[in-house]
Amino acid sequence: MVPTKKILIVDDDSDLLELLSIRLTAAGFETIVATSAEAALNCLDITRPHLVISDMQMSGMDGMALFEHIHQANPTLPVIILTAYGTIPDAVAAVQRGIFGYLTKPYDPKTLLDQIDQALRLTCNSGNNEPCEESRVAWRKSIITQNAEMEDILTKVERVAEGNASVLLLGESGVGKELFARAIHQASKRCCQPFVTINCAAIPEQLLESELFGHVKGAFTGAIREHKGLFQLAEGGTLFLDEIGDMPLLLQVKLLHALQERIIRPVGSTQPIPIDVRIISATHRDLKTEITAGNFREDLYYRLYVVGLTIPSLAQRREDIPLLANHFLRTFAEKYEKEINGFSPEATNLLLSASWPGNVRQLMNIIEQSVVLSANPLISYQLVYDAMHQEEAQLVSFEEARKKFERNYLVRLLKITAGNVTQAARLAKRNRTEFYKLLQRHQLDFTLYKQKEKSKEFC
């Protein structure tokens, strides 16, 4: 027996909400109703609908804001927008942002049912939890290559996707590790469930635990409501832990426990929550070196490295450069509405011979800049050369970027507090001893900021 598809309907007009619910129920769907976007978000994880239909204009969060929240947590969940104030430009903009359907009120019931049918056929098949045929094809189309090593990796991706083994993706920054993580998810039986991603290096240590595991109300200062972590948001799907090599040791212990026991405990809670999540992680670091240095747990490494895939750098797959360059060219020419047909022979040779320290991400940025600045149907050598050297001049290591941000942050605190270390440490949520160490690390003299403040007083 085929399970009934569930549709979440969101509208702050209770009469219209009831009418639409009756019509969809009569059409054989199970309906869940919410009178606000906020209420819809609260019940998403519990009800797990196959489709969302939302009004555009609502008090509080509107339909597009609701879509953005849904799309961030579950990119595969289709959303249809109904509005009484729609225009053609609005509809085009909504579809470009990822909205599946955009209908104006009063809507034609048959048109709405047709859109619902299309959305459900594209996201899941008959409901037996097997991935739809479209998803099986789509995952492969997203990775452009004619390199033999890459083809071998894609064969492994297809095999790995059949099970639930943890996967560790290795390779330089910019090679496309997240793209491969999404490919594994899309080719798996979890493809209709959420794909959730987090960059472990981009979130402050004191917030990372809450982001991963969630927290209960009152768990710490500022925790005014319950917060679901990414493990809960990814339930039934895939959680992608990018830059796992930068995760603090204390959190590595908690992550290891979650993976071993298949349970999590939100911050401030003693109640365990069972999880069903596939873990894919990635790093540009040499984790074996990090283990030797005491920066990464060996037991966690083997828990994550059930299957390892190393993505080659762009310099190792130069035959793919013309394919990727032309793909990006078509994408950005369409985005910026420009008639550009290709690259000059000299520009192509320059692309083929470049060192590409930033890999595919750098190539994409250079092609975008070249398309934006080009006034001719062909991208010239000079445009590519200028973009390439400007890009390379701007590229700094992650450590350098973090050090610069940290120093600027400390300087700003000292300016705000006129060199008062106690007050600055309090704003940074650090104790005085730790804060003094940070100042010493960046060779900052807090007394200079006190003198500046006094000089202002006497001016």
Side-chain angles (χ1 to χ4, degrees):
M1 180 177 178
V2 177
T4 304
K5 296 297 183 183
K6 291 186 287 187
I7 299 178
L8 173 60
I9 311 169
V10 192
D11 200 316
D12 56 2
D13 186 323
S14 57
D15 292 335
L16 292 176
L17 193 65
E18 183 179 3
L19 177 61
L20 184 52
S21 178
I22 291 171
R23 285 178 173 172
L24 294 182
T25 301
F29 299 105
E30 178 185 344
T31 61
I32 308 107
V33 297
T35 55
S36 69
E38 293 80 2
L41 290 175
N42 288 335
C43 73
L44 269 175
D45 292 325
I46 300 171
T47 58
R48 306 186 71 81
H50 299 91
L51 173 74
V52 177
I53 299 175
S54 175
D55 187 26
M56 173 64 88
Q57 300 293 334
M58 297 182 287
S59 57
M61 187 187 299
D62 66 12
M64 286 306 298
L66 172 62
F67 162 73
E68 295 293 348
H69 279 77
I70 292 173
H71 190 67
Q72 183 177 11
N74 187 354
T76 63
L77 180 60
V79 177
I80 295 175
I81 293 288
L82 302 179
T83 179
Y85 309 97
T87 63
I88 292 176
D90 289 339
V92 172
V95 172
Q96 287 177 339
R97 289 171 67 177
I99 292 289
F100 184 86
Y102 189 94
L103 299 177
T104 56
K105 299 177 182 177
Y107 58 87
D108 176 41
K110 184 179 183 304
T111 302
L112 175 60
L113 289 173
D114 286 344
Q115 284 212 359
I116 291 172
D117 181 59
Q118 290 175 25
L120 294 176
R121 279 192 290 106
L122 285 173
T123 52
C124 287
N125 63 5
S126 61
N128 57 5
N129 292 325
E130 291 294 323
C132 53
E133 188 61 31
E134 290 84 354
S135 181
R136 284 190 177 276
V137 175
W139 78 266
R140 181 60 182 82
K141 287 183 177 179
S142 63
I143 300 175
I144 299 169
T145 186
Q146 58 183 10
N147 174 267
E149 185 179 356
M150 286 283 285
E151 292 291 349
D152 288 342
I153 294 172
L154 290 173
T155 300
K156 293 177 183 177
V157 164
E158 192 164 20
R159 292 173 185 165
V160 166
E162 295 174 359
N164 289 307
S166 296
V167 181
L168 179 61
L169 301 173
L170 304 169
E172 297 175 6
S173 294
V175 295
K177 293 187 286 293
E178 182 174 344
L179 190 66
F180 276 85
R182 289 185 181 275
I184 294 170
H185 173 76
Q186 289 175 350
S188 75
K189 296 179 181 180
R190 296 176 180 265
C191 67
C192 295
Q193 302 305 323
F195 176 86
V196 179
T197 178
I198 181 172
N199 187 321
C200 299
I203 298 177
E205 181 178 344
Q206 61 270 29
L207 298 179
L208 187 55
E209 182 179 4
S210 174
E211 283 299 303
L212 283 172
F213 306 116
H215 64 252
V216 298
K217 181 179 179 181
F220 49 82
T221 303
I224 58 175
R225 62 174 63 88
E226 181 182 340
H227 171 71
K228 288 188 175 182
L230 298 182
F231 268 98
Q232 288 172 274
L233 294 178
E235 178 65 21
T238 303
L239 178 58
F240 175 51
L241 302 172
D242 199 7
E243 298 302 350
I244 189 68
D246 293 275
M247 178 174 282
L249 278 168
L250 180 60
L251 275 181
Q252 291 179 31
V253 177
K254 296 184 177 181
L255 175 60
L256 177 64
H257 181 266
L259 299 183
Q260 287 176 335
E261 305 299 327
R262 310 306 296 176
I263 61 170
I264 60 168
R265 285 185 176 84
V267 178
S269 173
T270 58
Q271 185 66 35
I273 299 174
I275 54 169
D276 173 23
V277 174
R278 187 199 194 140
I279 298 295
I280 301 177
S281 49
T283 182
H284 70 282
R285 296 183 181 275
D286 184 338
L287 290 187
K288 290 188 176 179
T289 301
E290 295 296 314
I291 290 170
T292 304
N295 298 325
F296 202 82
R297 292 182 62 95
E298 188 173 17
D299 46 7
L300 177 59
Y301 171 77
Y302 287 112
R303 178 66 63 171
L304 297 172
Y305 199 133
V306 177
V307 177
L309 299 175
T310 301
I311 315 303
S313 67
L314 186 57
Q316 294 172 313
R317 43 183 285 220
R318 291 190 178 276
E319 63 268 44
D320 286 343
I321 292 175
L323 289 175
L324 291 165
N326 282 293
H327 168 73
F328 294 141
L329 178 69
R330 290 190 297 270
T331 299
F332 293 124
E334 182 179 350
K335 176 180 178 180
Y336 296 108
E337 299 179 345
K338 305 194 81 170
E339 294 291 335
I340 301 178
N341 303 320
F343 300 88
S344 71
E346 297 80 8
T348 299
N349 289 335
L350 180 57
L351 291 172
L352 286 168
S353 61
S355 59
W356 300 115
N359 291 291
V360 179
R361 186 185 298 126
Q362 183 188 7
L363 174 63
M364 181 177 68
N365 291 342
I366 285 171
I367 301 304
E368 181 172 16
Q369 182 176 332
S370 300
V371 168
V372 169
L373 297 177
S374 180
N376 300 307
L378 287 180
I379 300 292
S380 69
Y381 169 91
Q382 194 62 46
L383 272 178
V384 174
Y385 179 87
D386 291 344
M388 193 175 291
H389 283 72
Q390 180 180 343
E391 180 79 15
E392 289 178 355
Q394 292 175 348
L395 281 173
V396 295
S397 70
F398 176 78
E399 292 300 329
E400 289 173 337
R402 181 160 63 180
K403 185 184 295 184
K404 182 178 180 181
F405 171 82
E406 194 172 89
R407 192 180 195 282
N408 291 339
Y409 176 73
L410 294 172
V411 168
R412 187 180 176 195
L413 285 176
L414 291 173
K415 287 181 178 179
I416 291 172
T417 62
N420 187 320
V421 174
T422 301
Q423 188 178 353
R426 188 182 302 119
L427 288 173
K429 294 182 173 59
R430 291 287 188 270
N431 60 53
R432 279 169 56 92
T433 303
E434 186 181 0
F435 196 80
Y436 273 121
K437 288 181 180 178
L438 286 171
L439 294 179
Q440 291 171 358
R441 185 189 305 165
H442 293 280
Q443 299 180 335
L444 291 172
D445 185 354
F446 68 92
T447 60
L448 295 176
Y449 296 88
K450 286 186 175 182
Q451 291 168 0
K452 287 184 178 182
E453 188 64 22
K454 287 180 181 177
S455 67
K456 287 181 182 179
E457 292 175 0
F458 290 99
C459 285

